[in-house]
Amino acid sequence: MARSRLSWAPASPPASRKRLATELPPAISVKPGESPVEEQEVVNPIDDSCTVLVVGSNRGIGIEFVKQCLQKGATVIATHRSKETPDSLLAIKNDYVDTLITIQMDLEDEQSIVDAAKNVQSMKNLRPLSHIIHNAGIYLAGASFDGTARASRAAAPKVTKETMMKTFAINSIAPLLVAQAFVPLLGKRSESLFPVLAFVSSKVGSVDDNGSGGAYAYRSSKSALNNIAKSMSVDLGDDARVVLLHPGWVRTDMTNNNGLIDTDESVAGMLKAVEATDATTPFRFVDYKAFQIPW
C-alpha cells in the first residue's frame, strides 16, 4: 500500500526552551481506596492514518494489540526478540501484507533498540509514528522475601539481586530506552491528535493497592515504570500524551493460562483508553474496564 512520505522532524523541543509551549492538563491522581470509571469518548481514533509501534508482539496481549490495530486499519510495526520473525506474526502478515511490518529488537540490548529505531526511520513511504504501545514485560520466579510462607501466601523461592536486576532491565529501563529511541519518530496528526505513548503496567505496581505483599521484583519494576511514564508525560508535553494501562488478570503464558479474561477483551478495553487520549487528556493510570487506578 503506497503511503505519502512525511518528514521525520525531531519531536523534542529545543534544549533552550524552559517551559512547555502548551498548557499540560493536570495529571489525575486517584484517591486511595477509590477507582472512578472514566468516560471514554473516542477522540483520537486508531485508523488508516495511524502508524502504531507495538513493542513485544509475538504472543499473548502483544499479538492481540497487533491484530486489533490492524483491524482498525492502522499500519503496525511489531517488534520481536528472535532473529527470525515468529510464526505467529508471519501468519497474520499473510492477511496484512501491506500494513504489518515486523522488526527485530532485543530489549536487553540498548544498541538493538537504537538500531531498530534507525531501521524504522529508513523505511520509505511510512508515516511518522502515531502510537507507541509498550507491552513487553517479564515476571520471573523468585518473588518472596525469604522463601518462607508469609502473609497468607505459600512458600516460594526468595527474590535475589539477579531477579531484581533482570526484571527492572525489561520492565522499567527498556521502556525508557525505547521511548528515547522512537519518540523522535512521532508525529502529530493534527493540533488535537497528539501521538500517544501507552505503557502496559500492572495494578500490582500500585503502592496503594498492595495489600498482599510479595512479588518484590515485579511490583517494584512496575512502580518504577509508572514513575518513569509520569516524568515522560511532563517532559514530552509538547509532543505526545502518555497513558498507563492495566490489562487485568489475563489468560496468557505469563499467568500459565490462569486468569479471569482473555486477551481480546483486555486489549479491546485498553485500546478504548488509548483512543480516549488526545491533547486535552490528563496523564492517568486506567484499567481495561475504564477504572482509574490509584498509585
Side-chain angles (χ1 to χ4, degrees):
M1 181 184 298
R3 292 188 181 273
S4 60
R5 176 70 169 174
L6 297 183
S7 61
W8 293 98
S12 300
S16 61
R17 193 185 319 174
K18 304 265 188 193
R19 298 180 180 178
L20 294 173
T22 57
E23 184 177 352
L24 192 65
I28 292 175
S29 181
V30 178
K31 294 180 179 180
E34 297 184 6
S35 294
V37 180
E38 67 176 22
E39 295 181 9
Q40 291 186 336
E41 179 185 357
V42 177
V43 293
N44 195 350
I46 297 174
D47 56 27
D48 61 5
S49 69
C50 295
T51 305
V52 181
L53 175 72
V54 179
V55 180
S57 61
N58 64 300
R59 62 181 182 174
I61 291 172
I63 201 165
E64 187 64 30
F65 270 121
V66 171
K67 292 176 181 177
Q68 293 196 25
C69 288
L70 287 169
Q71 290 165 3
K72 290 175 177 290
T75 293
V76 176
I77 303 170
T79 79
H80 53 88
R81 182 178 182 179
S82 58
K83 294 295 184 183
E84 302 298 326
T85 303
D87 290 342
S88 56
L89 289 173
L90 288 175
I92 300 174
K93 193 167 179 63
N94 290 332
D95 295 324
Y96 295 95
V97 174
D98 297 322
T99 53
L100 176 58
I101 300 166
T102 61
I103 62 170
Q104 192 272 338
M105 185 167 69
D106 183 350
L107 295 178
E108 290 188 273
D109 183 345
E110 185 172 1
Q111 189 59 50
S112 176
I113 295 171
V114 172
D115 290 344
K118 291 179 179 177
N119 183 8
V120 172
Q121 186 172 12
S122 70
M123 294 177 184
K124 299 183 182 299
N125 300 319
L126 186 70
R127 296 174 189 264
L129 299 179
S130 59
H131 297 76
I132 298 173
I133 299 176
H134 196 110
N135 163 73
I138 58 172
Y139 190 117
L140 299 177
S144 77
F145 178 70
D146 58 3
T148 63
R150 290 179 180 272
S152 302
R153 299 188 316 277
K158 79 172 183 178
V159 67
T160 64
K161 178 181 178 180
E162 181 181 7
T163 297
M164 293 288 291
M165 297 300 286
K166 186 176 179 66
T167 303
F168 267 76
I170 298 298
N171 291 359
S172 311
I173 299 170
L176 174 59
L177 298 179
V178 168
Q180 288 174 331
F182 283 92
V183 161
L185 307 187
L186 294 172
K188 295 178 183 178
R189 290 186 283 162
S190 72
E191 285 304 307
S192 63
L193 299 184
F194 273 40
V196 177
L197 282 75
F199 295 95
V200 178
S201 184
S202 175
K203 191 175 181 181
V204 301
S206 166
V207 175
D208 176 71
D209 187 68
N210 183 1
S212 57
Y216 285 88
Y218 191 74
R219 283 189 189 279
S220 56
S221 71
K222 290 299 186 177
S223 292
L225 171 62
N226 293 351
N227 215 355
I228 288 168
K230 178 62 171 68
S231 285
M232 284 190 210
S233 74
V234 176
D235 291 341
L236 303 178
D238 280 340
D239 309 302
R241 290 292 176 263
V242 181
V243 58
L244 282 169
L245 304 171
H246 170 57
W249 190 20
V250 189
R251 302 179 189 100
T252 65
D253 290 345
M254 181 182 285
T255 63
N256 294 317
N257 290 316
N258 295 313
L260 298 176
I261 58 172
D262 290 322
T263 55
D264 56 347
E265 181 181 357
S266 172
V267 170
M270 288 189 286
L271 286 179
K272 287 181 180 179
V274 173
E275 293 187 309
T277 304
D278 68 357
T280 66
T281 311
F283 172 81
R284 79 272 194 225
F285 190 11
V286 61
D287 77 0
Y288 75 102
K289 295 185 293 184
F291 285 97
Q292 294 171 353
I293 300 171
W295 300 101

